[in-house]
Amino acid sequence: MSTLVQPSLPDGGQEGNGQEGSARGRRGPRRFGIRARLFLAFVAVAVLSVAACALGWLSYDRLGGTLDEFAESHLPALGLAAKLAEEGGAIIATAPILAGSRTEDEMDAIRDTLGRRLSALRTLTDAIEGGVPGLRPVVDALGRNLAELDGTVRQRLTLARRNQEAIERLRWLHADFLDEIEPLVADARFNIQSALYSVESGKASAEQVRILREENRRSEAVLQIGANGNLAVGLIARAAMLATPEMLDDNAGFLDETADRLQRDLLALSNWPDGVSLGQVVAQLLGLARGAEGGVPALRREELETAARGQVLLAENRDIVARLNGLIARQVQAVEHDSRAAAARSAQAVAFGRTALLASAVVSLLVAVLVAWLYVNRNLISRLTRLGDAARAIAAGDLKADIPLGGRDELSDMAAALLVFRDTAIAVEEANAQAIIDNAQAGLAITDAQGMIEFVNPLAAALIAPLDGGGDGKGAAARLADRLDADGARRVEAFFAQVSAGAEGIAPTLSILATGRRPDGGTVPVQVGVRPFRRRRQQRFIVTLTDMTERLEAQHLLERTVRERTTDLQATNDRLERAIAEHQRTERELREAQAELVQAGKLAALGQLAAGVGHELNQPLAAIRSYAHNGRKLIGLGRVEEAGANLGKIADLTARMANITNHLKRFARRPDARLGAVELEPVIQGALSLFGNRLREEEVAVDLQLAEAGAPLRVRAEEVRLEQVLVNLLSNALDAVAGAPVRRILIRAEAVEKGEGGEGEAVRIEVRDSGPGIAADPVEQIFDPFFTTKPVGLGLGLGLSISYNIVRDFGGVLSVAESGPGGTAFALTLTRLP
Ligand code: ADP
């Protein structure tokens, strides 16, 4: 159960109610909504579009009418005029050809063509009749002209044919003339010669003289006729080809004179029977020359006149066609004029249509823009956007979002519905909040900006008794500060004072531990958290109150436990430190023990070597003794020089012994802990030298193979300890080959690459024997301390164990490389140093 100090809904109630009221008010009579408005707008735009189409249709109709009229009335006339012009032109071109025809066939063909063109012209004239006044008479005149021209040409051709025939006759007459005149001339010549003969012989009578004179006159006349006849023939023939009447006149003059002369000469022959036929031929010739009807010049004259008439007719023809063309041109001009008028009318119609279309398109556009901008954008879209924003804000939880309610259309209905939705959401949210707050496991209270408690949930009521006068929800509202202890109250008051002094919207938060006054008069430790929030645009503070009783107890318990644990841990820590110190001491002792052990092992080895070393020293000692004895004797005999030589040998032997003992001393001394570069060969030789006697006695062959003779192999080691390892390996190898049939020891050293995990070069030293192999399974146990297979007193089982550790200290590895009946090989790998 909650204690509501002040009702939470009324804040937005009035606004909500007002909006709802107005929304309700709109659901009444039928109204002019979005659908009707948009419908009206689209109808307006559509009407404008239809009007534009109608205007366009009308103007195109007008244009079409004008074009039709043009096509119907003027285009055919234009076409006919063009054809008329074409036919006229063709007639002009053809008429001269007709006039110049050489044969009748040619003339007939051309006349046919002209006839066709003329009838085409007539047809066109009939077709165009109404349109071109005065065209028919011109065409008729053209027809007459062509008929006349045809007649003229025909006449000219007839005359030409007759002329040709006359020329033909002239040719025959000329031949006859020549046939007649030549015998006459020959006769006359004979008669004259005969008479002349008589005259010359003196026998001529008067009769003969007369005859002679007569013959002479005749022959002269004949010769004259021959000459003039030939001339006349030439002139007649020429007349047939002369081109102008003037030339014909000149020619006629000559011809008349020649004809006169011929007639005169013919008179001279009139009584002469032989000249009769010549006279007839000449008469015919004269007929051809002068005959008014069949005479060649007359025919030619007539022919020329006919041709001239033809030319006149041709000129006339051209004139008529020019007239025709003039008429056509006028017609074409008229049509052109009409066409221009029609084009102007069409352009007018187009311009009008264009302007009208443009105007109606502009008006449509304006209406559409006005509808889109003023109504759709500024009214619908902006309201829809605001409504969408409001809906989104409400969906996102902002229940105070502003809902646009203006207008009397479907959008305002949507806004009203959204308003109802928002109010419902607010109610549901508040109910939910109330339920959450009531069931919250923490005390929750709400105060105003001055710290006055407006609301508490049951848990908070149990912690701070928010109402003066009891916890039953009936008392007056209290201040949060008054429900806390003095310190808490002071801090809460300071907080709210800071809130009222501070800038709007940046209220601080508060978290304090205080003591609350319970409704039963007791106190309780509470954690008080104060946080600002805004409810319906007003500053409010949510106060969380957590009962700290249990938490403080738990904290105290925890602190106690921590203290106890800390003490225990301190004790354990001290123990551990002591154990570590003990461990370090033990380790130090172990190291020392190990060093001792190494030394002991070395000394043990030395002990084993002692017999051999003793024998090694015994030999030079016995020799020294012998040289000393002999020396004394030689000195006694005064052979000082020989004695001196003996002493020299003694000195050499002493030096060799000193060498051996020095080496032993070096081997026996405690090794240096520091590592460095140790040259391998001297160490191997030193180790071998300790076994010189034993090797000889036991007849063991030693094969020493050191790779890279040029550059001595150096390894990272300490000299004494390395020698100790090698002494141990050699000692074991000698023990192993002791009973073997073949007794061989191979010592090989070579530089190798370091194996896995290692960088740089290494040196691998192998000590291989021909012994029976290692009698241990697994083989690795030979490295365990005190493992030995040798009889008591001969082996301690420490040699390999110590060697293994020494090599490991060098950073190297000692291992069994091979073991079997053929022998054993130990591999010692050390870091190579330059
Ligand atoms: P010890 O020589 O005192 O026995 P080591 O630790 O030197 O002690 O050797 C342990 C054992 O390893 C030897 O007793 C022997 O059985 C075996 N061993 C060592 N070297 C060889 C070898 N070269 N051939 C055969 N067995 C060997």
Side-chain angles (χ1 to χ4, degrees):
M1 163 142 184
S2 67
T3 306
L4 208 56
V5 178
Q6 198 178 326
S8 61
L9 264 175
D11 278 26
Q14 240 172 1
E15 190 194 346
N17 285 343
Q19 287 184 341
E20 215 176 324
S22 64
R24 251 185 250 116
R26 279 188 297 280
R27 287 187 209 103
R30 281 181 70 77
R31 60 188 177 188
F32 195 54
I34 295 174
R35 190 170 42 182
R37 287 178 207 183
L38 281 180
F39 180 74
L40 202 65
F42 283 124
V43 165
V45 172
V47 165
L48 282 168
S49 302
V50 168
C53 286
L55 273 171
W57 187 79
L58 277 176
S59 15
Y60 283 118
D61 193 46
R62 264 179 71 187
L63 179 64
T66 311
L67 288 176
D68 279 350
E69 180 198 324
F70 178 74
E72 276 169 18
S73 61
H74 299 299
L75 278 185
L78 268 181
L80 290 173
K83 278 188 187 153
L84 270 177
E86 184 191 342
E87 294 298 339
I91 286 170
I92 286 184
T94 318
I97 303 174
L98 177 71
S101 302
R102 298 201 171 279
T103 62
E104 288 193 341
D105 288 346
E106 190 185 341
M107 192 197 82
D108 287 343
I110 296 166
R111 198 192 54 213
D112 285 351
T113 311
L114 276 172
R116 273 200 307 279
R117 292 205 178 279
L118 196 62
S119 66
L121 208 59
R122 284 210 172 90
T123 314
L124 289 170
T125 310
D126 291 344
I128 209 170
E129 178 63 26
V132 186
L135 189 61
R136 165 65 73 177
V138 174
V139 174
D140 289 345
L142 185 64
R144 281 195 300 278
N145 171 272
L146 284 177
E148 271 182 56
L149 185 64
D150 182 46
T152 311
V153 172
R154 194 172 293 282
Q155 192 183 1
R156 181 177 62 76
L157 285 178
T158 308
L159 288 170
R161 194 179 63 246
R162 281 174 60 197
N163 205 352
Q164 194 65 37
E165 285 167 3
I167 294 294
E168 195 68 20
R169 216 164 62 242
L170 176 70
R171 204 170 290 140
W172 285 112
L173 277 177
H174 188 217
D176 288 348
F177 174 76
L178 291 177
D179 283 350
E180 288 293 330
I181 207 142
E182 276 171 11
L184 288 179
V185 170
D187 280 353
R189 200 171 281 147
F190 177 77
N191 290 335
I192 288 168
Q193 278 177 351
S194 299
L196 279 174
Y197 180 73
S198 298
V199 170
E200 283 168 2
S201 61
K203 290 177 222 174
S205 60
E207 180 64 21
Q208 281 175 321
V209 172
R210 191 194 53 83
I211 290 170
L212 178 63
R213 282 198 187 114
E214 183 68 14
E215 284 298 328
N216 188 39
R217 192 183 52 84
R218 276 186 201 155
S219 72
E220 261 179 26
V222 167
L223 286 175
Q224 280 290 341
I225 288 170
N228 284 320
N230 279 329
L231 181 61
V233 168
L235 287 172
I236 292 167
R238 185 165 170 265
M241 286 179 294
L242 285 173
T244 61
E246 291 74 29
M247 291 166 86
L248 268 180
D249 287 344
D250 290 348
N251 198 56
F254 284 124
L255 197 55
D256 280 345
E257 284 172 18
T258 311
D260 288 345
R261 278 198 301 274
L262 269 176
Q263 273 178 332
R264 205 174 48 237
D265 291 336
L266 271 180
L267 286 177
L269 299 180
S270 57
N271 297 323
W272 193 35
D274 288 350
V276 173
S277 50
L278 177 66
Q280 287 169 350
V281 171
V282 171
Q284 283 180 15
L285 267 178
L286 289 175
L288 279 180
R290 284 177 161 167
E293 276 291 302
V296 170
L299 280 175
R300 180 61 184 163
R301 188 177 297 277
E302 203 176 338
E303 191 184 343
L304 284 178
E305 281 168 5
T306 313
R309 225 175 25 255
Q311 288 304 316
V312 171
L313 283 173
L314 269 182
E316 197 179 310
N317 176 283
R318 275 196 295 276
D319 284 349
I320 294 169
V321 172
R323 260 194 352 257
L324 182 74
N325 282 343
L327 285 173
I328 292 168
R330 268 205 298 286
Q331 173 67 8
V332 169
Q333 268 178 359
V335 173
E336 195 180 315
H337 183 264
D338 288 355
S339 304
R340 280 187 202 285
R345 281 200 303 284
S346 304
Q348 245 176 358
V350 168
F352 172 74
R354 201 164 45 202
T355 315
L357 269 178
L358 195 67
S360 56
V362 167
V363 171
S364 298
L365 191 71
L366 268 176
V367 169
V369 166
L370 283 176
V371 168
W373 176 249
L374 292 179
Y375 181 59
V376 176
N377 189 35
R378 285 186 56 181
N379 189 322
L380 288 187
I381 302 294
S382 75
R383 282 168 63 208
L384 259 177
T385 310
R386 280 190 288 140
L387 200 58
D389 290 347
R392 260 196 302 278
I394 289 168
D398 177 12
L399 297 179
K400 298 286 165 296
D402 208 14
I403 298 174
L405 282 171
R408 289 172 59 77
D409 54 17
E410 288 83 347
L411 274 183
S412 54
D413 287 356
M414 276 175 71
L418 188 62
L419 190 69
V420 173
F421 174 77
R422 188 193 70 177
D423 291 347
T424 311
I426 289 172
V428 169
E429 188 195 48
E430 289 191 347
N432 281 346
Q434 195 65 58
I436 290 168
I437 289 169
D438 285 354
N439 295 311
Q441 291 302 309
L444 292 175
I446 293 173
T447 73
D448 63 11
Q450 284 71 46
M452 292 299 289
I453 298 173
E454 290 180 343
F455 164 83
V456 287
N457 74 347
L459 265 175
L463 291 175
I464 56 168
L467 297 181
D468 290 340
D472 55 0
K474 301 277 190 302
R479 281 154 41 87
L480 176 62
D482 295 342
R483 305 311 306 156
L484 301 173
D485 62 327
D487 184 46
R490 189 177 48 73
R491 292 173 72 180
V492 167
E493 271 176 357
F495 172 75
F496 281 109
Q498 191 186 346
V499 167
S500 27
E504 176 78 7
I506 45 165
T509 59
L510 177 73
S511 178
I512 56 168
L513 198 60
T515 305
R517 299 176 199 281
R518 290 212 310 235
D520 57 8
T523 58
V524 59
V526 281
Q527 173 77 38
V528 183
V530 186
R531 241 168 209 294
F533 77 104
R534 294 191 78 77
R535 196 174 64 179
R536 294 177 203 146
R537 300 203 193 104
Q538 287 182 358
Q539 182 73 66
R540 291 286 183 276
F541 289 86
I542 185 150
V543 182
T544 48
L545 297 158
T546 314
D547 184 350
M548 298 299 285
T549 315
E550 278 182 18
R551 222 178 275 180
L552 283 178
E553 278 173 8
Q555 191 180 340
H556 289 147
L557 186 67
L558 185 69
E559 281 172 2
R560 203 166 50 244
T561 314
V562 167
R563 267 198 305 279
E564 287 167 9
R565 289 277 160 83
T566 310
T567 316
D568 286 355
L569 275 174
Q570 191 63 49
T572 311
N573 198 26
D574 292 348
R575 271 204 310 281
L576 273 175
E577 277 181 3
R578 278 200 300 279
I580 287 167
E582 184 72 13
H583 183 76
Q584 285 171 341
R585 193 176 55 75
T586 311
E587 192 184 342
R588 209 165 41 245
E589 285 174 3
L590 270 175
R591 282 198 176 283
E592 285 167 7
Q594 189 185 9
E596 286 301 323
L597 203 57
V598 170
Q599 190 64 11
K602 197 164 58 182
L603 293 179
L606 269 180
Q608 285 177 353
L609 290 169
V613 173
H615 192 81
E616 201 74 355
L617 291 174
N618 271 342
Q619 261 189 337
L621 266 179
I624 287 170
R625 201 180 305 125
S626 156
Y627 282 129
H629 178 75
N630 290 344
R632 198 164 50 218
K633 279 195 173 165
L634 287 170
I635 290 167
L637 290 173
R639 288 153 65 182
V640 182
E641 246 178 62
E642 289 173 53
N646 275 9
L647 283 176
K649 284 176 182 162
I650 286 169
D652 288 348
L653 288 168
T654 318
R656 190 175 136 202
M657 286 172 70
N659 208 12
I660 292 171
T661 48
N662 275 344
H663 186 83
L664 275 175
K665 243 160 66 188
R666 210 171 55 238
F667 184 67
R669 79 159 189 260
R670 279 189 181 276
D672 194 343
R674 284 169 301 171
L675 303 180
V678 177
E679 197 176 334
L680 202 56
E681 192 179 357
V683 180
I684 294 173
Q685 294 290 7
L688 276 174
S689 73
L690 294 175
F691 294 100
N693 186 47
R694 202 174 155 193
L695 289 170
R696 273 192 306 278
E697 276 185 355
E698 294 174 18
E699 295 176 338
V700 179
V702 173
D703 188 359
L704 181 60
Q705 296 177 7
L706 295 176
E708 296 186 54
L713 291 171
R714 292 175 203 278
V715 295
R716 184 171 180 272
E718 191 278 319
E719 193 181 345
V720 177
R721 279 184 283 166
L722 178 60
E723 189 174 338
Q724 185 177 346
V725 172
L726 288 170
V727 164
N728 185 255
L729 291 177
L730 283 172
S731 168
N732 280 345
L734 277 169
D735 288 346
V737 298
V742 179
R743 290 183 290 282
R744 266 192 77 213
I745 294 175
L746 168 69
I747 304 169
R748 189 164 58 198
E750 60 188 349
V752 292
E753 285 293 317
K754 264 197 178 171
E756 260 177 46
E759 291 274 314
E761 277 196 328
V763 176
R764 185 176 186 278
I765 304 148
E766 186 182 284
V767 179
R768 182 182 286 273
D769 62 56
S770 56
I774 294 168
D777 190 19
V779 172
E780 280 69 33
Q781 63 181 312
I782 58 172
F783 294 108
D784 292 346
F786 304 111
F787 177 87
T788 179
T789 56
K790 293 175 189 167
V792 180
L794 285 180
L796 279 173
L798 279 176
L800 283 179
S801 165
I802 289 169
S803 299
Y804 186 87
N805 284 309
I806 288 172
V807 173
R808 197 185 55 193
D809 288 346
F810 291 168
V813 179
L814 176 61
S815 61
V816 176
E818 201 180 309
S819 171
T824 306
F826 281 87
L828 166 60
T829 311
L830 294 167
T831 305
R832 183 175 185 189
L833 290 180

